Amino acid sequence: MFKRPRLSAQTLPVNAGIAGFLLFYAASCSGPQEPAENEASPDETASVEQPATDEAPSDSLPAVWSTDQLDFPIRSIGIAGGAGSTFAIAYEGGGLQVFDFDGERVTAVAETDVNALSEGRYAMLSGTPVTFFPGIDGAGDLKVWIHGGQLPEAIEYDLQGDQVDGAAGLCAAPPLGGSDVLHRLAYWSDGASTLQVGEITETDGELAFTEVQTIETGSPIAACTFTADGIEFYSAPVAATSNLRRMGRETLLSITETGQLTATYDNGETQDLDIKEGITVRVPPNPTALAAVGDARGGGYPGGIIVLGGTVSSGNHRAVLVDPSRITLTPISVPPGEQ
């Protein structure tokens, strides 16, 4: 069962505007919820399976926890950056559900058609704390799914503004320091080699996407990731990417159409990674979805977290939580001349 509290409101009119959402939000909870703390308490760490004591090879990362068996195959995963400590799963055949880092269902499945999700964040909208996940619906329209307080499910919200064509994929990231932008977002159309880059802002009581740049890549786009230097874009066979950002260090992660997980480090080196199963945690042999954050998280994840989605065995669909500390907590070596 998901964690479903008692509510005084049940439905929100479509396209009610951010003000309508916030009124609905206020009716569904006793007050604004504070963001989750980044540091784990002793009780929180109890739910996370510790890696085996034998030394793991340098090209492997330990799977430490997973969701229970899910009802549908996983299409896409969006993870909340910043103070948020939740992730959202889009299911094949429609539906979106929010989970915490204990692998527990926070919401029911929202009956909404979601083609893709990307990195979200915890933010203040009109003074109200919420977590939102940018994504693409079944019609190729840019959307935001918002969750907060004790809402029973994430609410789909239309992004106003400058969408040029139907979107087939997207990537997103928090704003740069000192900006009043809520989030950065880039998307591409099916088979396109043009990346539309823009910003999500709260304007006149609405959330809007404004295009700020067009990037010609020269080849069909399959995935993209925001970095400190701009945007990295990928073609097939890459299927999904994410960025482990931590204190100025960036490690780009990608999975191929066959499920191979690869890390690209700051120095440009790449390494194929294996996921080491825990005593009770099974790993999908061919993951279909990827999301990651590198900053410290509650629930026993001081080095961040990677979430992989896929099918463990026939009909057994799960999201697996992986500890990337071997990457994110390793000291950065500094050349002798720069010390």
Side-chain angles (χ1 to χ4, degrees), residues 46-80:
S47 65
V48 177
E49 179 172 308
Q50 298 300 313
T53 56
D54 57 308
E55 185 66 22
S58 61
D59 62 351
S60 72
L61 298 174
V64 294
W65 204 243
S66 75
T67 62
D68 291 335
Q69 182 172 335
L70 304 175
D71 295 330
F72 309 98
I74 297 173
R75 172 178 286 169
S76 184
I77 300 173
I79 198 166

Side-chain angles (χ1 to χ4, degrees), residues 270-326:
T270 63
Q271 183 181 41
D272 289 344
L273 297 173
D274 292 324
I275 305 302
K276 186 177 181 181
E277 294 187 337
I279 298 173
T280 61
V281 180
R282 298 179 62 190
V283 176
N286 303 112
T288 57
L290 162 70
V293 290
D295 53 320
R297 292 304 167 115
Y301 301 98
I305 188 171
I306 299 170
V307 184
L308 295 173
T311 300
V312 173
S313 59
S314 179
N316 188 351
H317 315 295
R318 295 178 186 257
V320 176
L321 283 59
V322 177
D323 179 9
S325 296
R326 181 183 294 278

Side-chain angles (χ1 to χ4, degrees), residues 3-246:
K3 301 176 182 177
R4 184 170 186 169
R6 185 178 303 161
L7 302 173
S8 57
Q10 294 294 332
T11 59
L12 174 69
V14 176
N15 298 328
I18 195 66
F21 169 80
L22 295 176
L23 286 173
F24 179 76
Y25 175 97
S28 70
C29 61
S30 57
Q33 306 295 306
E34 293 299 320
E37 295 292 334
N38 284 348
E39 296 300 324
S41 68
D43 290 341
E44 286 177 319
T45 59
S47 65
V48 177
E49 179 172 308
Q50 298 300 313
T53 56
D54 57 308
E55 185 66 22
S58 61
D59 62 351
S60 72
L61 298 174
V64 294
W65 204 243
S66 75
T67 62
D68 291 335
Q69 182 172 335
L70 304 175
D71 295 330
F72 309 98
I74 297 173
R75 172 178 286 169
S76 184
I77 300 173
I79 198 166
S85 285
T86 56
F87 61 93
I89 291 177
Y91 294 115
E92 292 283 355
L96 179 146
Q97 192 165 32
V98 179
F99 293 76
D100 64 22
F101 285 173
D102 288 328
E104 296 287 342
R105 295 166 170 85
V106 176
T107 71
V109 178
E111 294 185 5
T112 178
D113 192 9
V114 189
N115 275 348
L117 291 170
S118 192
E119 180 177 347
R121 67 175 298 212
Y122 171 92
M124 302 293 289
L125 299 182
S126 299
T128 302
V130 298
T131 300
F132 66 83
F133 299 92
I136 302 168
D137 71 4
D141 294 329
L142 296 175
K143 303 280 188 175
V144 169
W145 280 269
I146 305 174
H147 183 261
Q150 300 177 64
L151 290 174
E153 59 188 48
I155 302 299
E156 179 183 303
Y157 185 87
D158 287 340
L159 272 180
Q160 308 299 312
D162 303 337
Q163 184 174 350
V164 178
D165 298 305
L170 80 165
C171 59
L176 299 173
S179 170
D180 58 359
V181 170
L182 282 175
H183 217 46
R184 294 177 289 164
L185 187 152
Y187 74 92
W188 66 93
S189 300
D190 190 29
S193 59
T194 301
L195 196 61
Q196 311 289 347
V197 185
E199 300 169 338
I200 298 176
T201 57
E202 184 180 354
T203 306
D204 297 328
E206 299 285 353
L207 296 183
F209 172 75
T210 303
E211 186 179 326
V212 297
Q213 184 184 13
T214 298
I215 299 175
E216 295 293 340
T217 66
S219 58
I221 303 167
C224 67
T225 301
F226 280 88
T227 73
D229 297 325
I231 300 180
E232 293 285 337
F233 46 84
Y234 305 79
S235 296
V238 172
T241 59
S242 194
N243 189 348
L244 284 173
R245 294 184 295 268
R246 186 184 182 89

